[in-house]
Amino acid sequence: MSPIVMKFGGTSVADLERINHVADLVAKQAETSPGGVAVIVSAMAGQTNHLVSLATGAAGAGVVGENFDDEYDVIVSSGEQVTSGLLALALRKRGLKARSWLGWQMPMLTNDIHGKARIRDIDGEAFSQAVGSGEIAVVAGFQGRTKEDRITTLGRGGSDTSAVAVAAALHAERCDIYTDVDGVYTTDPRIVPKAQRIEKISYEEMLEMASLGAKVLQTRSVEMAMNHRVPIRVLSSFAEVGADNSGTLVCDEDEIMEKQVVSGIAYSRDEAKISLLGVSNHPGIAADIFSRLAEANVNVDMIVQADARGPEQANMVFTCTERDSELAISVLQDAKSKIGFESIVVDRDVAKVSVIGVGMRSHTGVAKTMFDALSAKGINIQVISTSEIKISVLIDSSYTELAVRALHTAYGLDAES
Ligand code: ASP
Ligand code: MG
């Protein structure tokens, strides 16, 4: 009899009324879960932002690093302490046995990278015993502790990762992530009203969707679920208790009988294209350029190198986030004479649109469908990159919505109306 893990995000515990509703959902779950229930909560919506501004305000402008980050974690982790206590009380009011568990009490052990700590281990015998005994464990998400007994946090959105870690440690049947949407969609429903809720999606696909901007799950939580084979279900916390609320199951590819060639379309507008023109071409040039960027912590995404005016000169084009683009340019400008290039051009009015699907591995013509659909709308492709289960193109950002809609139709993802 494995336990069930439930996780509720900030909007789901935004006030006492919502917390009472969550308590009803948990109570209902407990009736049918003889293996026990553990609940992970976020801070009330808006609280973490507020705490972050208090912390940075107290420290003064520009303070980061050792002198700040440890106390920052003490401050910003406190929002989850409040909601874990409130939900435990709401459950007790319903006659259930429940208690709160803070990160240090379980304990949720992490490394000491404050602000974005990584979970090492959940070393919680008392915790598992409590869950097994039928007491509902209400865990403060987002927080952990180092082996030196300092409080850490797991990075923004980190309570998803707390939940999956608890599910893995308890060998839970499933990790149900309750949120303000009723599942994962084939694309952003605000752009494509005919987007459909996906019933089942593989870890690999969800990982791509999450890292490409689908905000439902923190990317690291999906990675962890994949590594530990924890099935995740994404579902709505706003549904009535007992209502049909099947959400989206994120699971192993083998458990998906009917595989779509393309499962979803993702997009990101936070992209910049940087072109180094007239780079003198010799072995080691790419290594030189990209190691400089890596040292500056610029996360480079797509890369294209092509000959320019003969083989002695190349153009090197790459993308990064808009935020990183200024830094990337200054790093490269500073090394202009060492690298040896003619000029540098940046375009921030670009967007990346990606089609994702494990079915691509065994189907041909997937890329052709994409290129045909975009050309039929007169959309010019600037850069292309592919992986086994994803094709991404960089386009003029003013065409983002048009492209997403055209691709959603081209791959047969539109809901029938
Ligand atoms: N409360 C934290 C945040 O706002 C963690 C979470 O909600 O997942 O980032
Ligand atoms: Mg979240």
mmCIF file of all heavy atoms in Angstrom, residues 226-249:
data_model
loop_
_atom_site.group_PDB
_atom_site.id
_atom_site.type_symbol
_atom_site.label_atom_id
_atom_site.label_comp_id
_atom_site.label_asym_id
_atom_site.label_seq_id
_atom_site.Cartn_x
_atom_site.Cartn_y
_atom_site.Cartn_z
ATOM 1 N N MET A 226 11.289 11.768 -13.591
ATOM 2 C CA MET A 226 11.749 10.841 -14.626
ATOM 3 C C MET A 226 12.815 9.908 -14.061
ATOM 4 O O MET A 226 12.770 8.703 -14.263
ATOM 5 C CB MET A 226 12.306 11.658 -15.796
ATOM 6 C CG MET A 226 12.791 10.862 -16.955
ATOM 7 S SD MET A 226 12.859 11.899 -18.422
ATOM 8 C CE MET A 226 14.563 12.346 -18.382
ATOM 9 N N ASN A 227 13.759 10.471 -13.308
ATOM 10 C CA ASN A 227 14.837 9.649 -12.755
ATOM 11 C C ASN A 227 14.326 8.629 -11.749
ATOM 12 O O ASN A 227 14.867 7.534 -11.642
ATOM 13 C CB ASN A 227 15.892 10.528 -12.088
ATOM 14 C CG ASN A 227 16.637 11.356 -13.106
ATOM 15 O OD1 ASN A 227 16.678 10.992 -14.282
ATOM 16 N ND2 ASN A 227 17.201 12.469 -12.689
ATOM 17 N N HIS A 228 13.303 9.010 -10.990
ATOM 18 C CA HIS A 228 12.806 8.106 -9.955
ATOM 19 C C HIS A 228 11.529 7.390 -10.360
ATOM 20 O O HIS A 228 10.923 6.704 -9.556
ATOM 21 C CB HIS A 228 12.578 8.879 -8.647
ATOM 22 C CG HIS A 228 13.843 9.400 -8.048
ATOM 23 N ND1 HIS A 228 14.611 8.672 -7.178
ATOM 24 C CD2 HIS A 228 14.503 10.567 -8.228
ATOM 25 C CE1 HIS A 228 15.685 9.384 -6.842
ATOM 26 N NE2 HIS A 228 15.635 10.526 -7.467
ATOM 27 N N ARG A 229 11.135 7.583 -11.625
ATOM 28 C CA ARG A 229 9.918 6.935 -12.137
ATOM 29 C C ARG A 229 8.699 7.208 -11.245
ATOM 30 O O ARG A 229 7.962 6.292 -10.888
ATOM 31 C CB ARG A 229 10.121 5.421 -12.263
ATOM 32 C CG ARG A 229 11.243 5.036 -13.198
ATOM 33 C CD ARG A 229 10.755 4.916 -14.636
ATOM 34 N NE ARG A 229 11.852 4.915 -15.579
ATOM 35 C CZ ARG A 229 11.999 5.777 -16.592
ATOM 36 N NH1 ARG A 229 11.117 6.719 -16.796
ATOM 37 N NH2 ARG A 229 13.006 5.701 -17.412
ATOM 38 N N VAL A 230 8.536 8.454 -10.856
ATOM 39 C CA VAL A 230 7.346 8.837 -10.099
ATOM 40 C C VAL A 230 6.314 9.389 -11.082
ATOM 41 O O VAL A 230 6.583 10.385 -11.740
ATOM 42 C CB VAL A 230 7.671 9.957 -9.071
ATOM 43 C CG1 VAL A 230 6.417 10.417 -8.353
ATOM 44 C CG2 VAL A 230 8.734 9.507 -8.099
ATOM 45 N N PRO A 231 5.144 8.766 -11.210
ATOM 46 C CA PRO A 231 4.133 9.360 -12.084
ATOM 47 C C PRO A 231 3.589 10.658 -11.460
ATOM 48 O O PRO A 231 3.329 10.703 -10.261
ATOM 49 C CB PRO A 231 3.023 8.301 -12.140
ATOM 50 C CG PRO A 231 3.587 7.081 -11.507
ATOM 51 C CD PRO A 231 4.704 7.508 -10.606
ATOM 52 N N ILE A 232 3.467 11.689 -12.296
ATOM 53 C CA ILE A 232 2.920 12.968 -11.817
ATOM 54 C C ILE A 232 1.560 13.173 -12.485
ATOM 55 O O ILE A 232 1.415 12.905 -13.679
ATOM 56 C CB ILE A 232 3.809 14.159 -12.238
ATOM 57 C CG1 ILE A 232 5.204 14.073 -11.645
ATOM 58 C CG2 ILE A 232 3.160 15.481 -11.870
ATOM 59 C CD1 ILE A 232 6.085 15.256 -12.048
ATOM 60 N N ARG A 233 0.595 13.636 -11.705
ATOM 61 C CA ARG A 233 -0.662 14.037 -12.330
ATOM 62 C C ARG A 233 -0.852 15.530 -12.069
ATOM 63 O O ARG A 233 -0.717 15.980 -10.938
ATOM 64 C CB ARG A 233 -1.821 13.238 -11.750
ATOM 65 C CG ARG A 233 -3.108 13.372 -12.524
ATOM 66 C CD ARG A 233 -4.043 12.239 -12.189
ATOM 67 N NE ARG A 233 -4.406 12.278 -10.776
ATOM 68 C CZ ARG A 233 -5.660 12.203 -10.328
ATOM 69 N NH1 ARG A 233 -6.658 12.091 -11.177
ATOM 70 N NH2 ARG A 233 -5.910 12.230 -9.037
ATOM 71 N N VAL A 234 -1.115 16.281 -13.142
ATOM 72 C CA VAL A 234 -1.368 17.714 -13.008
ATOM 73 C C VAL A 234 -2.868 17.921 -13.098
ATOM 74 O O VAL A 234 -3.495 17.493 -14.071
ATOM 75 C CB VAL A 234 -0.686 18.511 -14.145
ATOM 76 C CG1 VAL A 234 -1.009 19.993 -14.037
ATOM 77 C CG2 VAL A 234 0.817 18.282 -14.138
ATOM 78 N N LEU A 235 -3.470 18.527 -12.084
ATOM 79 C CA LEU A 235 -4.927 18.679 -12.099
ATOM 80 C C LEU A 235 -5.354 19.941 -11.354
ATOM 81 O O LEU A 235 -4.540 20.586 -10.692
ATOM 82 C CB LEU A 235 -5.607 17.429 -11.534
ATOM 83 C CG LEU A 235 -5.491 17.077 -10.063
ATOM 84 C CD1 LEU A 235 -6.411 15.891 -9.754
ATOM 85 C CD2 LEU A 235 -4.081 16.693 -9.683
ATOM 86 N N SER A 236 -6.631 20.283 -11.461
ATOM 87 C CA SER A 236 -7.103 21.557 -10.926
ATOM 88 C C SER A 236 -7.463 21.459 -9.455
ATOM 89 O O SER A 236 -8.133 20.526 -9.023
ATOM 90 C CB SER A 236 -8.329 22.020 -11.710
ATOM 91 O OG SER A 236 -8.924 23.104 -11.041
ATOM 92 N N SER A 237 -7.045 22.465 -8.682
ATOM 93 C CA SER A 237 -7.451 22.506 -7.276
ATOM 94 C C SER A 237 -8.766 23.258 -7.123
ATOM 95 O O SER A 237 -9.277 23.406 -6.026
ATOM 96 C CB SER A 237 -6.378 23.192 -6.437
ATOM 97 O OG SER A 237 -6.358 24.573 -6.725
ATOM 98 N N PHE A 238 -9.299 23.759 -8.226
ATOM 99 C CA PHE A 238 -10.535 24.536 -8.146
ATOM 100 C C PHE A 238 -11.765 23.675 -8.403
ATOM 101 O O PHE A 238 -12.890 24.142 -8.273
ATOM 102 C CB PHE A 238 -10.477 25.726 -9.115
ATOM 103 C CG PHE A 238 -9.509 26.791 -8.648
ATOM 104 C CD1 PHE A 238 -8.134 26.634 -8.828
ATOM 105 C CD2 PHE A 238 -9.954 27.914 -7.983
ATOM 106 C CE1 PHE A 238 -7.236 27.589 -8.367
ATOM 107 C CE2 PHE A 238 -9.066 28.880 -7.519
ATOM 108 C CZ PHE A 238 -7.708 28.719 -7.715
ATOM 109 N N ALA A 239 -11.539 22.415 -8.785
ATOM 110 C CA ALA A 239 -12.672 21.524 -9.051
ATOM 111 C C ALA A 239 -13.414 21.230 -7.750
ATOM 112 O O ALA A 239 -12.827 21.243 -6.667
ATOM 113 C CB ALA A 239 -12.162 20.225 -9.660
ATOM 114 N N GLU A 240 -14.708 20.965 -7.873
ATOM 115 C CA GLU A 240 -15.489 20.558 -6.707
ATOM 116 C C GLU A 240 -14.971 19.216 -6.201
ATOM 117 O O GLU A 240 -14.487 18.395 -6.979
ATOM 118 C CB GLU A 240 -16.969 20.396 -7.100
ATOM 119 C CG GLU A 240 -17.673 21.705 -7.443
ATOM 120 C CD GLU A 240 -17.604 22.707 -6.303
ATOM 121 O OE1 GLU A 240 -17.770 22.290 -5.141
ATOM 122 O OE2 GLU A 240 -17.340 23.904 -6.574
ATOM 123 N N VAL A 241 -15.105 18.994 -4.897
ATOM 124 C CA VAL A 241 -14.693 17.718 -4.321
ATOM 125 C C VAL A 241 -15.536 16.605 -4.951
ATOM 126 O O VAL A 241 -16.758 16.718 -5.021
ATOM 127 C CB VAL A 241 -14.892 17.710 -2.792
ATOM 128 C CG1 VAL A 241 -14.535 16.355 -2.199
ATOM 129 C CG2 VAL A 241 -14.057 18.804 -2.148
ATOM 130 N N GLY A 242 -14.867 15.564 -5.442
ATOM 131 C CA GLY A 242 -15.584 14.447 -6.036
ATOM 132 C C GLY A 242 -15.914 14.621 -7.515
ATOM 133 O O GLY A 242 -16.376 13.688 -8.163
ATOM 134 N N ALA A 243 -15.638 15.824 -8.067
ATOM 135 C CA ALA A 243 -15.928 16.046 -9.496
ATOM 136 C C ALA A 243 -14.903 15.323 -10.359
ATOM 137 O O ALA A 243 -13.809 15.000 -9.894
ATOM 138 C CB ALA A 243 -15.902 17.539 -9.794
ATOM 139 N N ASP A 244 -15.269 15.090 -11.616
ATOM 140 C CA ASP A 244 -14.344 14.470 -12.550
ATOM 141 C C ASP A 244 -13.185 15.435 -12.785
ATOM 142 O O ASP A 244 -13.381 16.555 -13.219
ATOM 143 C CB ASP A 244 -15.080 14.178 -13.868
ATOM 144 C CG ASP A 244 -14.118 13.611 -14.902
ATOM 145 O OD1 ASP A 244 -13.175 12.907 -14.493
ATOM 146 O OD2 ASP A 244 -14.305 13.873 -16.109
ATOM 147 N N ASN A 245 -11.982 15.007 -12.469
ATOM 148 C CA ASN A 245 -10.841 15.915 -12.468
ATOM 149 C C ASN A 245 -9.611 15.075 -12.769
ATOM 150 O O ASN A 245 -8.758 14.890 -11.922
ATOM 151 C CB ASN A 245 -10.763 16.575 -11.078
ATOM 152 C CG ASN A 245 -9.712 17.683 -10.988
ATOM 153 O OD1 ASN A 245 -9.209 18.163 -12.000
ATOM 154 N ND2 ASN A 245 -9.385 18.073 -9.770
ATOM 155 N N SER A 246 -9.565 14.521 -13.995
ATOM 156 C CA SER A 246 -8.514 13.534 -14.246
ATOM 157 C C SER A 246 -7.189 14.171 -14.640
ATOM 158 O O SER A 246 -6.150 13.537 -14.557
ATOM 159 C CB SER A 246 -8.969 12.522 -15.288
ATOM 160 O OG SER A 246 -9.486 13.190 -16.404
ATOM 161 N N GLY A 247 -7.196 15.436 -15.079
ATOM 162 C CA GLY A 247 -5.942 16.141 -15.343
ATOM 163 C C GLY A 247 -5.095 15.501 -16.428
ATOM 164 O O GLY A 247 -5.603 14.853 -17.343
ATOM 165 N N THR A 248 -3.789 15.688 -16.295
ATOM 166 C CA THR A 248 -2.822 15.115 -17.236
ATOM 167 C C THR A 248 -1.855 14.241 -16.462
ATOM 168 O O THR A 248 -1.309 14.665 -15.446
ATOM 169 C CB THR A 248 -2.015 16.232 -17.927
ATOM 170 O OG1 THR A 248 -2.896 17.035 -18.701
ATOM 171 C CG2 THR A 248 -0.942 15.649 -18.839
ATOM 172 N N LEU A 249 -1.643 13.025 -16.934
ATOM 173 C CA LEU A 249 -0.679 12.138 -16.293
ATOM 174 C C LEU A 249 0.656 12.240 -17.014
ATOM 175 O O LEU A 249 0.729 12.067 -18.232
ATOM 176 C CB LEU A 249 -1.189 10.697 -16.326
ATOM 177 C CG LEU A 249 -0.370 9.725 -15.481
ATOM 178 C CD1 LEU A 249 -0.617 9.981 -13.989
ATOM 179 C CD2 LEU A 249 -0.708 8.286 -15.825
#
